Amino acid sequence: MFYGRNQEASGAEERSEKMILTKEAIDMVKLTKKFGKCYDAQEVDRLLDEIGEAAEKQCRELEQLRSIRTEYYQIKNQISEALLAAQQTAKEMLEQTRSKCDDELTALQQHKITLQQQISSLEKYKILEIEKIRRDLEKLLGDSKSDEASERETAISK
């Protein structure tokens, strides 16, 4: 930008690389007036060139930023979709696991009932067998209580 009368051409090139188009930057431009009324045409041309270059540069940067933003939103959407899919998969797996556990628990509870019934039957069988052995022993020993044992065995089996 021009701040006075003695600006060099190389300074103008340097300024155009650093120039950022803002209202404040444009307000700070000071052009040399010739004959009190007109601005120096070369200064005006250089300033317009600087403004044009700065505008082009800012447009390119804006386009790059828009491209980056678009890519950011695409990646964000992909991550969101992947996260939703992972959550759905986790939910389905959890439901399947719960269902499988419920089924296994039901089967184990049924197996427990079956085992308890078998144990009960075996205990009854054990008592009957013990009574038979006792009765057989009483017969062998000639004990008079064998009739009582037979009656107990009959009562237990019922």
Side-chain angles (χ1 to χ4, degrees), residues 2 20-21 33 36-37 64 66-67 80 84 91 99-100 106-107 116 119 123 134 136-138 145 148 152:
F2 292 84
I20 296 176
L21 290 178
K33 287 187 179 183
K37 292 182 178 181
Q64 286 175 333
R66 285 180 178 158
S67 175
S80 294
L84 288 174
K91 183 179 177 183
S99 177
K100 187 176 178 180
T106 301
Q116 287 173 335
I119 289 169
E123 286 176 350
R134 189 176 295 148
D136 289 344
L137 282 174
E138 287 175 356
K145 296 183 179 180
E148 292 175 16
R152 276 188 281 171

Side-chain angles (χ1 to χ4, degrees), residues 89-118:
T89 300
K91 183 179 177 183
E92 290 170 3
M93 289 175 66
L94 183 61
E95 289 173 5
Q96 289 173 354
T97 302
R98 281 186 180 149
S99 177
K100 187 176 178 180
C101 286
D102 288 344
D103 293 345
E104 288 182 19
L105 181 61
T106 301
L108 287 172
Q109 287 172 338
Q110 187 62 39
H111 187 64
K112 177 185 171 186
I113 291 169
T114 302
L115 289 174
Q116 287 173 335
Q117 290 171 345
Q118 289 175 348

Side-chain angles (χ1 to χ4, degrees), residues 49-73:
D49 288 344
E50 287 180 39
I51 290 173
E53 290 172 15
E56 285 179 19
K57 180 180 177 190
Q58 286 178 310
C59 286
R60 284 190 303 272
E61 289 174 357
L62 180 61
E63 216 31 61
Q64 286 175 333
L65 291 173
R66 285 180 178 158
S67 175
I68 290 169
R69 182 184 66 190
T70 300
E71 185 178 343
Y72 165 78
Y73 283 122

